[in-house]
């Protein structure tokens, strides 16, 4: 018999059972998705057909299976010779008491993906099967057009409809809210000037509405006055589309704004988890998991790694297919990835065109076999009915956990570095990460890292990441710590612990400190001004690491003062952060330096405070504004003693930062000690974006 191809085998759904009514109702719901339902009366018949042509999904009536142990044996034997396990849905009988949690748990452990109790509505079951087979239909975008000119409204509606979008035109702005609640649009296109109410006024009302505030709004206008545009954006708009409207700009702006809106919603919620493929996590949950693994310090084998999977030539594919078809294609890829993951592995969508997979195999050879298999399988994914043949390939990078990366960001950069190498080699292949440097303190490695630092200072190879400090009391402004990374020429990011000590020995810290402080001032200057529809953030402040030796140089203070004055940041200059160990080593130089800073109104934070009486007294004498407790103090100090320490610092007029919050238990314990700020990867992992939601931090956390 001629072997069946993946496309041929991927459209079958097998059902083991005798419910003819279910078959009659279910088959018509699946056929429009090119899924064909076949029923079997016995295990033997099903096994025989399975051997010839494995299905995309398998429905099992549990009355034909001898309990969970029988299910496990049956599935293990059934899947023994197939490359790709289909999804399994178990249908249990309520009369037999099979709806209990114990039965569900046993079925999941045996290999089932879903467990439903009869009678199950056919549409609900069909929906699960369709999702499991990766044939999810992306719902059409719904666009509400608020435009009082009927000819203009009709023209815009036709352009959107031809692009596959559903439209509703509202000519009277007074009817807008009612139509929105009924239509539930994904985006609003609104004329800026309408009779009875302006677009800016309507945007302000929408942003004040509990149910509708998150819907993106694009203004339609020939207005060229930038001040008037800015006023409209301040009222709650997301951008402008110039009149006369052109098709390409209209469709592009609508798709981009809807995509951005969905990404922003996904950052703060765990909605639509059922739409995710098995083993896929929300990005923030995945990153925290990866960070815990990277920081654990446990001995890792070479069989464990992070796979970064990047779609080759993504802009071309997006332009050729459009967002809707690309999303369907990505859903198919997620299904393929999930089919080759074990129960110990997890994955996420990192951004528009990249996935991350934490893989754990017996050895490095098996890890490479997985990467090779994914490259081949993902290249077989076919977009839905493209106008022309679109070749899809991926570049895959394997980042190893050995030697220890230290955190999630370093691990991601290892995978990215290897993926870049694969893409440069032509794409549609994988590469394994190799370390750029190994910091072991010997002169040879010191010299290499020094060369990297010098090159980075000259070629902007240093980068800043930002981690929020969440205040216990809301309304205290927005405070982030700026954290430096060294980026090598091939894209790998090196942690501060692996290069700052070398910079100190090589007398490079003054140049590094100035680079960090100057970039932080630039970020604060940019962020306070509205840009591209985003609101300005004049309350933003950054906590910036510096060293006493740098600030003790005679020319430093005049340089710093000029930098602040040029950017008009006198009233909101950054907070300067010093290590407690640096103060101890250089106390004689530190005293006059800190006195001068206090004279100019610059606030000081001291990090890695253990809280001894001597340290508390010293911080009081130096006029420190903030004290960041060391990780060891947070984790190893009994709760009552921690409360006393925080109170003693407060008596000196010092606000207390509790850092190193990595898990829910720590945040619950530390919260009751009443520090002024909380910081850690459980709240948010350091990021290149300033995106933390300070509005939802409160004292009743």
């Amino acid at each position: 018999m001629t072997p069946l191809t993946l496309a041929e085998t991927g459209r079958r759904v097998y059902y083991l059972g005798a419910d003819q009514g279910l078959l009659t109702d279910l088959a018509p719901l699946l056929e429009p998705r090119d899924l064909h339902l076949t029923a079997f009366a016995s295990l033997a018949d099903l096994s025989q057909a399975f051997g010839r042509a494995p299905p995309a999904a398998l429905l099992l009536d549990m009355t034909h299976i001898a309990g969970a142990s029988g299910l496990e044996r049956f599935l293990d034997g059934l899947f023994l010779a197939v490359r790709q396990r289909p999804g399994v849905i178990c249908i249990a009988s309520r009369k037999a008491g099979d709806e209990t949690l114990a039965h569900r748990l046993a079925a999941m452990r045996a290999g089932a993906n879903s467990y439903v109790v009869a009678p199950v509505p056919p549409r609900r079951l069909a929906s699960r099967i369709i999702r499991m087979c990766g044939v999810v239909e992306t719902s059409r975008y719904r666009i509400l057009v608020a435009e009082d000119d009927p000819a203009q409204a009709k023209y815009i509606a036709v352009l959107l409809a031809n692009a596959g979008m559903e439209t509703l035109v509202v000519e009277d702005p007074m009817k807008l809210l009612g139509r929105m609640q009924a239509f539930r649009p994904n985006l609003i296109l609104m004329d800026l000037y309408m009779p009875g109410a302006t677009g800016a006024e309507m945007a302000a009302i929408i942003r004040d509405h509990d149910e509708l505030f998150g819907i993106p709004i694009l203004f339609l206008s020939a207005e060229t006055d930038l001040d008037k545009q800015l006023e409209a954006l301040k009222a709650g708009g997301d951008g402008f589309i110039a009149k006369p409207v052109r098709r390409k700009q209209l469709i592009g702006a609508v798709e981009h704004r809807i995509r951005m809106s969905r990404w922003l919603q996904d950052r703060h919620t765990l909605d639509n988890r059922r739409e995710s493929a098995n083993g896929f996590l929300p990005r923030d949950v995945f990153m925290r998991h990866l960070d815990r693994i990277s920081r654990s310090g446990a001995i890792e084998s070479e069989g464990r790694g992070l796979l970064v999977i990047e779609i080759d030539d993504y802009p071309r594919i997006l332009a050729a297919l459009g967002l809707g078809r690309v999303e369907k294609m990505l859903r198919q890829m997620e299904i393929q990835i999930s089919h080759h993951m074990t129960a110990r592995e997890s994955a996420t969508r990192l951004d528009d065109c990249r996935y991350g997979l934490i893989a754990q195999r017996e050895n490095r050879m098996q890890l490479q076999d997985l990467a090779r298999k994914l490259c081949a399988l993902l290249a077989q994914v076919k977009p839905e009915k493209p106008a022309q043949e679109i070749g899809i390939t991926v570049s895959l990078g394997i980042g190893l956990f050995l030697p220890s990366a230290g955190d999630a960001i370093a691990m991601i950069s290892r995978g990215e570095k290897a993926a870049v190498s694969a893409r440069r080699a032509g794409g549609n292949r994988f590469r394994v990460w190799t370390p750029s440097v190994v910091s072991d303190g010997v002169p040879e490695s010191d010299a290499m890292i020094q060369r990297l630092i010098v090159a980075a200072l000259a070629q902007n190879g240093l980068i800043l990441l930002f981690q929020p400090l969440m205040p216990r009391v809301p309304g205290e402004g927005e405070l982030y710590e700026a954290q430096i990374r060294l980026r090598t020429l091939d894209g790998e990011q090196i942690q501060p612990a692996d290069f700052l000590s070398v910079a100190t020995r090589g007398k490079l810290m003054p140049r590094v400190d100035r680079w960090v402080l100057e970039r932080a001032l630039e970020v604060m200057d940019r962020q306070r001004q509205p840009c591209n529809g985003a609101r300005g953030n004049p309350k933003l402040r950054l906590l910036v690491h510096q060293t006493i030796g740098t600030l003790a140089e005679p020319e430093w203070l005049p340089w710093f003062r000029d930098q602040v004055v040029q950017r008009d940041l006198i009233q909101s200059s950054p907070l300067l952060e010093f290590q407690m160990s640096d103060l101890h080593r250089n106390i004689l130089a530190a005293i006059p330096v800190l006195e001068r800073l206090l004279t100019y109104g610059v606030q000081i934070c001291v990090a890695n405070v253990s809280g001894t009486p001597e340290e508390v007294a010293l911080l009081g004498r130096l006029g420190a504004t903030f004290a960041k407790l060391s990780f060891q103090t947070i984790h190893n100090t009994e709760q009552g003693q921690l409360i006393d320490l925080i109170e003693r610092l407060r008596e000196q007029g010092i606000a207390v930062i509790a850092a190193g919050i990595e898990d829910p238990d720590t945040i619950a314990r530390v919260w009751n000690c009443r520090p002024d700020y909380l910081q850690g990867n459980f709240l948010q992992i350091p990021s290149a974006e300033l995106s933390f939601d300070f509005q939802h931090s409160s004292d009743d956390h």
Side-chain angles (χ1 to χ4, degrees):
M1 179 181 290
T2 304
L4 291 166
T5 66
L6 181 65
E8 290 172 321
T9 61
R11 318 310 295 184
R12 292 178 169 82
V13 177
Y14 288 170
Y15 168 59
L16 175 65
D19 188 340
Q20 293 299 319
L22 179 63
L23 284 172
T24 302
D25 294 336
L26 190 59
L29 298 173
L30 298 179
E31 286 176 0
R33 303 291 188 271
D34 197 25
L35 295 171
H36 306 289
L37 185 63
T38 304
F40 300 90
S42 69
L43 293 174
D45 291 342
L46 173 62
S47 299
Q48 188 176 10
F50 199 100
R52 293 194 303 268
L58 182 61
L59 306 181
L60 297 177
D61 186 333
M62 292 300 289
T63 59
H64 289 67
I65 307 293
S69 59
L71 176 64
E72 185 173 11
R73 288 193 301 271
F74 173 66
L75 293 180
D76 286 346
L78 200 62
F79 298 155
L80 189 61
V82 297
R83 293 179 301 168
Q84 180 175 314
R85 293 172 61 109
V88 178
I89 300 177
C90 294
I91 304 175
S93 168
R94 192 181 302 275
K95 293 180 181 179
D98 289 346
E99 75 277 11
T100 64
L101 179 60
H103 283 84
R104 292 176 180 271
L105 181 60
M108 294 298 176
R109 289 175 174 173
N113 302 96
S114 187
Y115 192 96
V116 298
V117 179
V120 55
R123 289 191 178 277
R124 176 183 162 201
L125 185 57
S127 178
R128 290 198 183 196
I129 295 169
I130 291 168
R131 283 195 297 267
M132 188 171 286
C133 296
V135 195
V136 175
E137 180 179 6
T138 305
S139 59
R140 292 201 304 171
Y141 296 149
R142 296 185 304 279
I143 313 298
L144 187 147
V145 182
E147 169 63 69
D148 62 295
D149 182 345
Q152 185 73 246
K154 182 177 180 181
Y155 172 68
I156 293 170
V158 169
L159 291 180
L160 296 172
N162 290 340
M165 303 182 194
E166 184 179 352
T167 61
L168 174 68
V169 173
V170 178
E171 297 179 9
D172 183 356
M174 296 297 104
K175 298 179 181 179
L176 186 60
L177 283 183
R179 298 291 175 85
M180 285 179 65
Q181 290 175 316
F183 185 58
R184 293 292 173 178
N186 300 114
L187 180 139
I188 301 169
L189 289 171
M190 189 184 310
D191 189 4
L192 186 56
Y193 300 112
M194 295 181 289
T198 67
E201 290 172 332
M202 295 308 301
I205 291 172
I206 291 168
R207 293 293 178 248
D208 192 45
H209 198 288
D210 288 341
E211 296 180 7
L212 308 175
F213 71 94
I215 300 174
I217 300 171
L218 294 177
F219 291 118
L220 300 163
S221 177
E223 179 62 72
T224 58
D225 188 318
L226 295 180
D227 289 334
K228 292 182 179 179
Q229 289 188 9
L230 184 60
E231 287 300 316
L233 295 176
K234 285 181 178 179
D238 294 286
F240 273 85
I241 297 177
K243 288 185 177 180
V245 175
R246 294 178 174 84
R247 181 187 182 281
K248 184 176 180 180
Q249 287 79 1
L250 175 68
I251 303 304
V254 168
E255 287 194 342
H256 173 73
R257 183 51 57 183
I258 290 177
R259 184 196 304 177
M260 290 301 297
S261 173
R262 289 180 174 181
W263 273 111
L264 290 172
Q265 292 172 13
D266 289 344
R267 292 163 68 92
H268 300 295
T269 67
L270 301 182
D271 290 345
N272 300 321
R273 287 298 306 280
R274 177 167 284 178
E275 297 296 334
S276 298
N278 292 330
F280 273 66
L281 298 173
R283 185 182 183 278
D284 58 339
V285 177
F286 176 90
M287 290 296 289
R288 286 202 295 268
H289 177 49
L290 176 62
D291 195 72
R292 282 194 296 271
I293 297 173
S294 304
R295 292 176 182 271
S296 65
I299 298 175
E300 294 284 352
S301 73
E302 287 199 343
R304 195 174 199 182
L306 173 71
L307 276 59
V308 173
I309 306 164
E310 299 185 357
I311 299 174
D312 295 327
D313 201 6
Y314 179 74
R316 173 185 64 84
I317 294 170
L318 181 61
L321 297 178
L323 184 60
R325 286 178 178 170
V326 166
E327 289 295 330
K328 293 181 184 180
M329 179 194 75
L330 292 175
R331 171 63 177 167
Q332 294 179 52
M333 287 189 167
E334 291 170 13
I335 294 293
Q336 291 287 348
I337 293 170
S338 71
H339 281 323
H340 290 81
M341 291 166 54
T342 69
R344 297 179 299 174
E345 298 172 342
S346 55
T348 195
R349 183 171 174 179
L350 292 171
D351 54 31
D352 278 4
C353 60
R354 295 189 309 155
Y355 290 95
L357 165 61
I358 302 173
Q360 185 171 350
R361 300 301 159 105
E362 292 298 323
N363 51 52
R364 179 167 166 174
M365 187 67 67
Q366 290 188 12
L367 199 62
Q368 293 179 198
D369 287 343
L370 172 63
R372 188 178 295 107
K373 185 179 296 183
L374 287 175
C375 282
L377 285 172
L378 297 180
Q380 296 180 34
V381 171
K382 300 299 181 185
E384 180 190 75
K385 299 178 182 177
Q388 56 187 4
E389 186 66 24
I390 304 294
I392 307 296
T393 62
V394 300
S395 294
L396 195 151
I398 303 176
L400 301 177
F401 285 90
L402 284 176
S404 176
D407 64 12
I409 298 168
M411 276 304 304
I412 291 288
S413 76
R414 289 181 178 184
E416 288 175 339
K417 172 187 173 181
V420 167
S421 176
R423 188 168 63 251
R424 288 174 178 169
N428 198 27
R429 64 196 70 201
F430 74 91
R431 290 289 185 268
V432 181
W433 166 80
T434 55
S436 300
V437 296
V438 178
S439 179
D440 53 13
V442 302
E444 291 79 7
S445 63
D446 265 24
M448 180 182 294
I449 295 176
Q450 284 188 37
R451 287 196 295 271
L452 284 173
I453 297 171
V454 171
L457 288 165
Q459 302 174 23
N460 205 29
L462 296 171
I463 58 176
L464 283 186
L465 302 176
F466 305 96
Q467 187 170 49
L469 284 77
M470 187 185 82
R472 279 185 56 91
V473 180
E476 295 291 320
E478 300 188 5
L479 181 60
Y480 289 85
E481 181 180 42
Q483 301 178 3
I484 189 174
R485 295 294 176 108
L486 173 63
R487 182 172 53 201
T488 64
L489 295 178
D490 51 16
E492 185 179 348
Q493 293 183 26
I494 302 176
Q495 294 191 89
D498 292 332
F499 72 88
L500 288 183
S501 59
V502 178
T504 300
R505 291 193 292 270
K507 304 188 185 313
L508 294 171
M509 278 310 300
R511 295 178 60 187
V512 173
D513 284 337
R514 286 202 181 194
W515 185 94
V516 171
L517 189 51
E518 190 169 4
R519 295 307 181 278
L521 290 168
E522 290 174 359
V523 169
M524 291 179 63
D525 191 22
R526 279 199 310 271
Q527 286 291 317
R528 63 181 177 169
Q529 302 296 333
C531 180
N532 296 328
R535 301 176 185 275
N537 190 1
K539 292 185 177 181
L540 170 70
R541 300 189 70 189
L542 296 181
L543 194 62
V544 184
H545 293 258
Q546 295 286 279
T547 56
I548 295 298
T550 298
L551 274 63
E553 294 182 346
E555 71 276 8
W556 182 87
L557 188 59
W559 171 84
F560 175 65
R561 186 173 55 224
D562 289 344
Q563 295 289 324
V564 171
V565 170
Q566 288 173 14
R567 297 174 176 85
D568 193 20
L569 292 171
I570 297 174
Q571 301 299 321
S572 57
S573 63
L575 285 73
L576 301 186
E577 180 176 4
F578 305 93
Q579 296 295 315
M580 177 59 79
S581 57
D582 191 14
L583 289 180
H584 281 313
R585 285 194 307 268
N586 302 285
I587 189 62
L588 294 179
I591 292 174
V593 165
L594 300 188
E595 285 178 350
R596 289 199 301 270
L597 291 175
L598 293 173
T599 300
Y600 285 96
V602 178
Q603 295 182 331
I604 304 302
C605 174
V606 179
N608 281 319
V609 173
S610 63
T612 64
E614 294 78 17
E615 284 187 353
V616 174
L618 175 62
L619 294 179
R621 289 198 303 273
L622 294 176
T625 313
F626 294 83
K628 182 189 290 186
L629 301 180
S630 69
F631 291 3
Q632 292 79 7
T633 300
I634 292 293
H635 290 278
N636 299 331
T637 304
E638 187 270 331
Q639 191 169 19
Q641 294 176 331
L642 194 56
I643 292 173
D644 291 340
L645 168 58
I646 292 172
E647 287 303 319
R648 281 191 282 116
L649 287 165
R650 281 226 187 90
E651 289 171 1
Q652 299 282 351
I654 300 171
V656 180
I657 302 169
I661 306 297
E662 308 293 342
D663 55 74
D665 292 338
T666 302
I667 197 172
R669 182 176 68 87
V670 173
W671 189 264
N672 293 328
C673 298
R674 306 189 68 80
D676 297 278
Y677 293 85
L678 297 177
Q679 181 187 15
N681 291 346
F682 181 76
L683 301 173
Q684 189 179 79
I685 288 175
S687 167
E689 300 176 356
L690 299 157
S691 58
F692 187 71
D693 185 5
F694 285 91
Q695 299 299 320
H696 290 88
S697 62
S698 67
D699 196 47
D700 53 7
H701 179 80

